[in-house]
Each structure stands twice: as structure tokens, then as C-alpha cells.
Amino acid sequence: MNRFSTLTRHRLFWPAAALVLLLCSNLFFSADFFAIRLQDGHLYGSLIDILRGSTPLVLVALGMTLVIATAGIDLSVGSVIAIVGAVACLRISNLPDQNSVGGVLAAVGVALGVALVLGLWNGILVAVVGIQPIIATLILLVGGRGIAQLITDGQIINVRSDPYRTIGAGYWLTIPVAVIIAAVVVAATVLFTRRTALGLLIESVGSSPTASRLAGIQARRLTLIVYVFAAFCAGVAGLIISSNISSADGNNAGNLIELDAILAVVIGGTALTGGRFSIAGSVLGAVLIQALNVTIYTTGIPNNVTLLFKAVVVVVLCLAQSPAFRAKVFRGRRRKSVEVAA
């Protein structure tokens, strides 16, 4: 009993349990839901689709995790996705040969460079100018959509580039390239934040910026770094999204993904007040949200109640994660059992 109680207090237990429950519930509507097959050298199946579909959100949630760890927030990631996709597709569409690997790599490099500049802009507003993070990133949230619309001239830019499409829809060694890209970025982030002092420094800035500065920690520089990193992650997500559909939509690409990213971070156990963070929890939260979307589609839940169903699941999960809520529930059960025994 004590072991189970200890297990349930782990920050990843309830998200993992909810994910398993969601996946298993699909068996009632699709008997071969867990089936994975190899066809034409590629892995196919619902689980593969969930992993590939969750990669943009995993990347955005990864960057959001470090921003939130510094007690900040980044509402502009959706606009960054739109801008990066627009820049990449615009440059590729202007290439004499859209299948030129060198030209596509140059377009990708320029697009990611733009993402870094946008992250630097957010970081300067927050760390140097001193604007509240929610206001500073709200500026780019609104203005970024306008920039994306200007780049695309209000139209959807279509490209026919096999090298570019490989980023979001290609396979390597039977595994989707998007999953490999996300895994590499996550692994590198874990390496730098958990195998070096960087993660501890970020947590100290989020726990107490004043104390960290007095301790000699360069809080402003760290804040700049996390906002640049968040924009980079959003930029990579933008490349995956736009390459998967071979087009750039400045109006709809990445729309409201910042809300799902924040939700994934919270589900993963990272507090919005800053301080300690969990990369594994954020990744699990992102996969959980994608699994929830797939489950809603599989079970045939009507579109008019989809958002309500999603909200109910999230509320139940958050309550299950709350130590205070669990303490009240179990305390009430113990009292009833004692009264019955008496």
C-alpha cells in the first residue's frame, strides 16, 4: 500500500496512467489500434501516427518548459511557427529547382535564423526592457500573425519539394523523420539541462530571480537564452508542420498551439510559478494531448462537444495530480471507514 501511495505521488504517474487509459479505450472502437505494420520500408499504425502527430507540440512544449521554469510564459510560439513556415516556403517556391537539397537547406537555415531573431526579441523585452512576459510575448503573438500574412501576401504558399517534404512526412530507417528530429532535440535538451549546471541555474532564476542575481548568476542572460531556445523549438515545429502539408498558411499554422503547449507543461508537473521543471513530463503531456485528440476522433465524439470532452478530461487529470485534492478525498474515505468500523 505504501509503495502504491509513493508511486501515485510521482509527478509522471497520473499523466502516464491517463495516457495508457486513453490508448486502451481505443480498443473498444478499433480492434487493431495497437497494430504496427511494416510497409514499403515504413512503420505504420495508430501509435506511429500519434507519435508523428505529437512532434510539433512536443517541440513547442519543450521550449515552453524552460521558459516557464524561469517564471515566464511565451504566447508567441504559434506566430513563430507561422512566420518560419512562411519564410521557408517562400524561399523554396522561388528556387529554380525546388528539389535542390542545397537550396532547401539554405531556406531552412534562413527560416530558423528568423526564429532565433524573434526569440531574441522576446528575450530582450523580458530580460532587458523588463516588460512582463505575458505582455512582451503577446506583442509578437498579435504582430507575428501580421508578419506571416505579409510574407505570404495573405495567400497559402504551396511548394513541390521532395527534400522539404521529408522533414515532416519522410521516413528514415522505417521511423518518421519528424519523430527523429524531435527525439534529437529532446535528448540534447536533457543533456544540457541535466548533465550540466544549466538546468539548476534556470530553476534558480525561476525560484528567486533576486537571490540568483545576488548569488552571481546572470539571470538576464539565462532568460534571453530560454526565450531564444523556445523560438528555435517553435521554428523547428513550424518546419515540420509546413513541410508535412507542403504549404505555408500564415493565418492558421500553429493557431492556439501555445495553449496546448502550456497545458502539456502543466500536465507534466511543471509549476507555472517557475522553479523545478520536468522535460519528460512535458513530452508525456504533449503525447497525451495528441492521444486525446486521436481518441476523440476514433470514438466518434461529435464535433460540437469535442472541446467540452477535452476540457473534462484535462480537469479530471489535473485534479488527480493535485496532492491537496487527493488528500481531501482519501481523508474523507478514511473517516467514513473509521466510522463504519466503530
Side-chain angles (χ1 to χ4, degrees), residues 249-269:
D249 186 350
N251 187 43
N252 296 313
N255 188 34
L256 299 180
I257 196 174
E258 58 274 0
L259 302 183
D260 280 343
I262 295 171
L263 182 59
V265 173
V266 173
I267 289 175

Side-chain angles (χ1 to χ4, degrees), residues 132-148:
Q132 288 293 326
I134 192 171
I135 302 300
T137 57
L138 184 62
I139 295 173
L140 187 56
L141 166 68
V142 177
R145 286 291 167 185
I147 294 174

Side-chain angles (χ1 to χ4, degrees), residues 52-330:
R52 185 172 62 179
S54 65
T55 51
L57 183 56
V58 166
L59 289 166
V60 176
L62 182 64
M64 189 72 74
T65 301
L66 298 189
V67 170
I68 290 177
T70 61
I73 201 76
D74 190 348
L75 300 179
S76 67
V77 287
S79 295
V80 173
I81 286 175
I83 293 173
V84 168
V87 171
C89 288
L90 179 63
R91 290 187 62 89
I92 292 174
S93 66
N94 291 329
L95 291 175
D97 179 12
Q98 293 190 14
N99 289 319
S100 169
V101 176
V104 170
L105 289 176
V108 168
V110 171
L112 290 179
V114 171
L116 295 179
V117 171
L118 295 174
L120 184 62
W121 165 262
N122 284 335
I124 290 174
L125 291 182
V126 174
V128 179
V129 181
I131 300 177
Q132 288 293 326
I134 192 171
I135 302 300
T137 57
L138 184 62
I139 295 173
L140 187 56
L141 166 68
V142 177
R145 286 291 167 185
I147 294 174
Q149 290 285 348
L150 287 174
I151 294 173
T152 61
D153 197 24
Q155 306 295 320
I156 295 178
I157 300 178
N158 297 309
V159 295
R160 296 181 179 179
S161 173
D162 292 334
Y164 188 62
R165 183 169 172 76
T166 300
I167 297 174
Y171 289 81
W172 186 67
L173 297 179
T174 74
I175 303 173
V177 173
V179 174
I180 297 175
I181 293 173
V184 170
V185 177
V186 170
T189 305
V190 171
L191 180 65
F192 281 103
T193 57
R194 295 310 185 192
R195 298 298 180 182
T196 70
L198 180 61
L200 182 61
L201 296 177
I202 291 174
E203 290 178 342
S204 66
V205 171
S207 299
S208 179
T210 303
S212 62
R213 283 196 297 270
L214 293 176
I217 298 174
Q218 296 180 339
R220 289 183 176 178
R221 180 177 297 181
L222 285 173
T223 303
L224 274 171
I225 290 174
V226 296
Y227 278 96
V228 170
F229 177 72
F232 170 78
C233 290
V236 177
L239 294 176
I240 291 175
I241 291 173
S242 61
S243 66
N244 188 41
I245 59 177
S246 296
S247 64
D249 186 350
N251 187 43
N252 296 313
N255 188 34
L256 299 180
I257 196 174
E258 58 274 0
L259 302 183
D260 280 343
I262 295 171
L263 182 59
V265 173
V266 173
I267 289 175
T270 299
L272 289 176
T273 53
R276 295 187 61 186
F277 63 90
S278 173
I279 292 176
S282 297
V283 172
L284 183 60
V287 176
L288 173 61
I289 291 175
Q290 179 62 21
L292 178 58
N293 293 331
V294 171
T295 301
I296 290 173
Y297 176 78
T298 303
T299 55
I301 295 176
N303 291 331
N304 56 343
V305 297
T306 294
L307 295 178
L308 179 60
F309 175 80
K310 188 175 180 179
V312 170
V313 173
V314 170
V315 168
V316 171
L317 179 58
C318 290
L319 288 176
Q321 282 185 289
S322 171
F325 178 79
R326 294 201 307 270
K328 290 181 180 179
V329 171
F330 289 118

